[in-house]
Every structure is written in structure tokens, then in C-alpha cells.
Amino acid sequence: MLAEEMSIKSTEREYVRSAWLIEGPKTDHSLCVLLDGEVYRDSVHVLPIFSTLMQRGSIPPMTLVFVSHGGAAARHSDYVCDPQFARFIAEDVVSRARARVPSLSAERHLICGLSLSGLAAAHIALLYPTRFPAALCQSGSFWFEPDAFARLAQQRPPVKTRFWLSVGDEETDANVSHPPTGLFQGISQIAGVERARAVLDGNGGEVNRHRYRGGHTFEHWRAEFSDALQWLLRTG
């Protein structure tokens, strides 16, 4: 799989994010957007998983776009349910990918995120349910303003979006601050994910909550990645 590097400009903000695109087939197909793109590519090592699953026919052929996080401080700004960032992904990133790969469909894509970007993936799927009817949220940081996330979900029309929500049984830290901005976490990752599961399930989403043994680490996210993709992309 050969990646093409590109820069994508926001039409609403004065910023640019790097991205790496791997082109899918010449026939109609969907896109997979991976937030925290460097992490998925270089630390979780998902490219061999995609390649194997596509070759086996376990998932359909897709175009992949890995979107850079832009740095630690940017993650604390972009990934905390920012509607402008959601629009950047759903419109600017998708439009740029479709301009590069004309066979991409307009809707029905997959979005993936982990930790804070797992929260962002769920938020984007809520705001753009036809564009992203499937979201992978690995150890999503749903501890960030959980009441606000719940209100947003309850205000949205019921959706049939598929959400894979995972969390490790060792993710019990609470009342901690995260550098570099001091972002405060009041409840544990486990508690946040459980609240999100209840909220999304109550709004009509199809939720698979995966509780694994371990902590907030790349190896666990990689271990579940194949199963998550196959569940999220299954037909019927």
C-alpha cells in the first residue's frame, strides 16, 4: 500500500493538516478516515491489517486517509467535540479525497479514532450520520464534558450509526490533568465509555462495547482492530 502525502486546508480556519492517502479501487467504494493518523500508521500499525482483510474479502476495498493530529496541543483543541473540526473532516477532508479518487462515494464512510480522537470520531458521526454511519472509538475519552456529549446525542434525530466503543479494564484513572494544556479528566475512561454507550444506544445507534483486559496502549487497540473493522463494515 503506497501512501500519497498531501496538505488539506480548512475552509473555516486558518490551519492546515497533513494527511496520507492510499487510493482504493476504480469502482464505487467508501472512504476510511483515521484521525490521529500518525498513531494509527506508525504505532498501531494498521496498514497490514487493512491489506490482509481486503485481500481476503473480509472487508470491502476502501480508500484510506490518515489525518495528522497536528501536535499535542492541537489534539486538545480539535478532538474535544469542536464543530468546526467536525466540519473540516466531514467536508474538507472528504471532498479532497473525492477530488483525488473520483470513484469514492459521497456518503457512507467509516471514521476511526483512539483516546481523544475516539471521542472526536463519535462526535463527527453524530453530526454527520449519513456521511459517517460507522465509527470506531478505541478507548474514547468520553470523560470530557460527558453531560454536553449526552445533550448533543439526545438533541440529534435518532440514527442507525454503528459505534464500536472499546475500553480496557485498567483504564481507571480519574481526577487527573493531561499535558500540555492541563485538560482535566474527572471520571475514568471506563465510566466515560459506559455513559457514552448508554447515550448512543438510547439514540438508536447500534453499539458494540468491547471491554478488553489491559490499559490505554497501542497493542490492545491493534489487537481488536480487525474484529472492529469487520463488525463495523459488515453488510446486513
Side-chain angles (χ1 to χ4, degrees):
M1 287 184 160
L2 298 177
E4 173 187 347
E5 186 170 1
M6 59 178 63
S7 295
I8 304 177
K9 295 182 179 179
S10 169
T11 55
E12 287 193 348
R13 289 182 178 176
E14 294 298 322
Y15 72 42
V16 177
R17 290 288 178 266
S18 296
W20 298 269
L21 182 141
I22 298 174
E23 186 174 349
K26 302 300 182 184
T27 54
D28 185 65
H29 66 284
S30 296
L31 176 70
C32 179
V33 176
L34 297 106
L35 308 178
D36 270 327
E38 304 96 327
V39 179
Y40 269 118
R41 185 192 62 191
D42 301 333
S43 299
V44 186
H45 302 295
V46 299
L47 279 173
I49 299 174
F50 274 111
S51 180
T52 297
L53 292 176
M54 289 182 194
Q55 288 174 5
R56 290 177 179 170
S58 300
I59 63 172
M62 308 181 79
T63 287
L64 313 177
V65 61
F66 295 78
V67 181
S68 172
H69 51 57
R75 293 183 79 252
H76 286 194
S77 174
D78 291 346
Y79 293 163
V80 289
C81 299
D82 181 350
Q84 286 185 309
F85 179 74
R87 185 207 164 280
F88 170 68
I89 295 296
E91 298 186 19
D92 297 333
V93 171
V94 172
S95 295
R96 181 68 182 279
R98 293 189 70 216
R100 179 63 185 80
V101 186
S103 53
L104 267 177
S105 59
E107 307 286 359
R108 301 199 62 76
H109 305 308
L110 167 65
I111 187 163
C112 304
L114 47 83
S115 194
L116 269 179
S117 64
L119 168 66
H123 176 247
I124 293 166
L126 277 177
L127 294 184
Y128 298 90
T130 58
R131 184 140 295 181
F132 293 108
L136 172 57
C137 310
Q138 298 186 275
S139 292
S141 298
F142 293 101
W143 47 259
F144 179 80
E145 297 186 358
D147 293 338
F149 182 84
R151 286 194 299 271
L152 173 67
Q154 291 159 0
Q155 290 165 3
R156 304 297 296 170
V159 296
K160 298 297 183 182
T161 304
R162 288 176 181 166
F163 296 93
W164 177 288
L165 306 183
S166 67
V167 69
D169 61 7
E170 296 177 6
E171 298 193 69
T172 57
D173 288 349
N175 296 313
V176 294
S177 296
H178 297 279
T181 67
L183 198 65
F184 182 72
Q185 176 181 347
I187 62 175
S188 72
Q189 210 90 7
I190 294 172
V193 168
E194 290 300 329
R195 287 193 63 175
R197 180 201 59 76
V199 166
L200 295 171
D201 184 68
N203 195 42
E206 185 179 356
V207 182
N208 186 321
R209 194 269 280 159
H210 178 223
R211 185 82 165 264
Y212 61 80
R213 298 187 66 181
H216 202 72
T217 61
F218 303 136
E219 62 182 296
H220 294 107
W221 299 331
R222 189 178 196 280
E224 69 172 349
F225 198 77
S226 176
D227 288 342
L229 286 183
Q230 292 178 80
W231 184 82
L232 288 163
L233 296 172
R234 76 190 192 282
T235 58

